[in-house]
Amino acid sequence: MKIVACVKYVPDTASKVKITPDKKGVDQSEVTLVVNPYDEFAVEEALQIKEKRGGEVVVISAGSEKATAGLRTCLAMGADSAILVKDDSLENADSFAIGVVLARVCKDLNPDLILFGKNAIGVDNGQVPAVVAELLDIPQVSVTVKLEIQDGTFRAEREIEGAHEIMEGKLPAVVTAQKGLNTPRYASLKGIMAAKKKQIDIRTLESLGLPSEDLAPRVSVQEVTLPPSRPPGKILTGEVAETVAQLVKLLHEEAKVI
C-alpha cells in the first residue's frame, strides 16, 4: 500500500510575527519554522497504517529549500521517502497553484491514500486537499478524527457541528486529519540519524511539465495587518449591587455582547 502525506513548513505559533514592508505577508527571516501541526497528524496516521498493513509512506512538500528541514523531520518520524517540488515562487502561491503541483506529483505516484492536515496554521484556508481531490477525481473526507482502512475501502469518522459523521468509500481517496485522530510520535535518535542519510527527491515545475499559466494565482493578497492591540482590562470596585449594574452597562455599551 502506498500512502502519501502532504506537509507544509510553517512559522511556529510561538514566534513573534512581523509583517513584511510591503504588507503582503509575514516576514519569515526571524521566525522558527516547523512542520504544520495538523500535517503531523497526517504523517502519524500514514505511519500507523503502514505498521498495520505494510507498504510505504512518501511525504511531499512544495516550496523553497527551507522545506527540506520539515521533510527530514517526517523522515525521522519514520517516512520512507520524501519529495520536494522546489521553487521559491511556491512560497507565496495560492491554494489552487499548490493543489495543482501536489496533484501532479500524486498522479505520478498513484497512491492508495493521500493524507493532509485539515489546514495549515497561519493561512487557515484548508483548500489544497479539495483541489487535489478534484483534480485527481477521487473522494475526499475532511476533519477526520478516526480512520479505518480495509482492502480497497475506507471508513472515516469526521466532526460536524454537535455530532460525528461516518463516511465510507473506495480508495484511492484524500483524507484530512483533525486533532484527535492520533498522537504524533517523537522522532527517535536512530530515526534522526537515518533521516540525515536519506536523499530528498527534488523536482521542479519544469520537470513536472507545469507551465506558468497553469499556476496563475486565482487569489491576490491586498494587505496583511496585525490585529489591533487589546485594550486594558477594567476592575470594578464597590458593593455587589453597584458593580453588577456597572458590568451589565459595560457589556451592553462597550463589549456589545448583550
Side-chain angles (χ1 to χ4, degrees):
M1 184 175 188
K2 181 177 287 186
I3 309 166
V4 164
C6 297
V7 302
K8 186 175 182 180
Y9 212 35
V10 299
D12 191 337
T13 54
S15 300
K16 186 175 181 180
V17 175
K18 294 182 180 179
I19 306 301
T20 55
D22 63 0
K23 296 185 178 181
K24 296 292 186 179
V26 175
D27 184 355
Q28 297 189 12
S29 61
E30 298 181 6
V31 301
T32 301
L33 298 175
V34 297
V35 175
N36 176 45
Y38 290 110
D39 293 342
E40 289 185 332
F41 295 120
V43 174
E44 176 61 32
E45 192 66 17
L47 295 174
Q48 290 188 16
I49 294 172
K50 173 193 169 183
E51 290 165 357
K52 293 176 183 177
R53 305 188 61 83
E56 64 173 316
V57 175
V58 182
V59 288
I60 304 174
S61 190
S64 68
E65 182 71 24
K66 297 176 184 177
T68 57
L71 291 173
R72 292 207 181 277
T73 297
C74 298
L75 291 171
M77 290 174 67
D80 297 288
S81 59
I83 298 172
L84 170 64
V85 182
K86 181 182 172 184
D87 196 292
D88 290 347
S89 67
L90 295 176
E91 287 292 320
N92 298 310
D94 62 12
S95 299
F96 184 81
I98 297 297
V100 169
V101 171
L102 295 179
R104 180 62 59 89
V105 178
C106 289
K107 184 178 181 180
D108 293 340
L109 294 175
N110 193 29
D112 300 286
L113 179 64
I114 305 172
L115 294 165
F116 287 83
K118 75 178 185 73
N119 62 264
I121 60 173
V123 291
D124 291 338
N125 287 331
Q127 298 170 339
V128 173
V131 173
V132 172
E134 176 67 20
L135 293 175
L136 296 179
D137 194 25
I138 58 177
Q140 180 209 354
V141 183
S142 58
V143 291
T144 304
V145 294
K146 185 177 181 181
L147 179 63
E148 298 175 7
I149 300 296
Q150 300 297 331
D151 294 333
T153 63
F154 68 87
R155 186 176 189 271
E157 183 175 328
R158 64 186 297 270
E159 289 186 337
I160 58 175
E161 188 173 354
H164 282 194
E165 182 178 58
I166 305 296
M167 301 190 72
E168 298 179 347
K170 294 182 179 180
L171 298 175
V174 171
V175 175
T176 73
Q178 167 67 303
K179 183 178 181 180
L181 177 61
N182 53 53
T183 302
R185 68 193 67 187
Y186 289 103
S188 65
L189 179 59
K190 180 180 178 181
I192 294 172
M193 298 305 294
K196 292 181 179 180
K197 299 178 182 179
K198 291 183 178 180
Q199 294 292 321
I200 293 177
D201 182 0
I202 303 295
R203 303 190 185 184
T204 64
L205 298 179
E206 291 76 16
S207 69
L208 294 175
L210 289 173
S212 57
E213 54 266 24
D214 286 358
L215 303 178
R218 268 65 172 177
V219 176
S220 62
V221 176
Q222 298 301 307
E223 185 179 5
V224 175
T225 60
L226 293 172
S229 301
R230 181 178 297 178
K234 293 185 178 182
I235 299 176
L236 304 180
T237 59
E239 298 295 328
V240 174
E242 297 175 352
T243 55
V244 167
Q246 294 177 50
L247 178 59
V248 170
K249 183 178 181 181
L250 290 171
L251 291 174
H252 179 66
E253 296 180 359
E254 293 191 16
K256 299 186 185 302
V257 296
I258 59 173

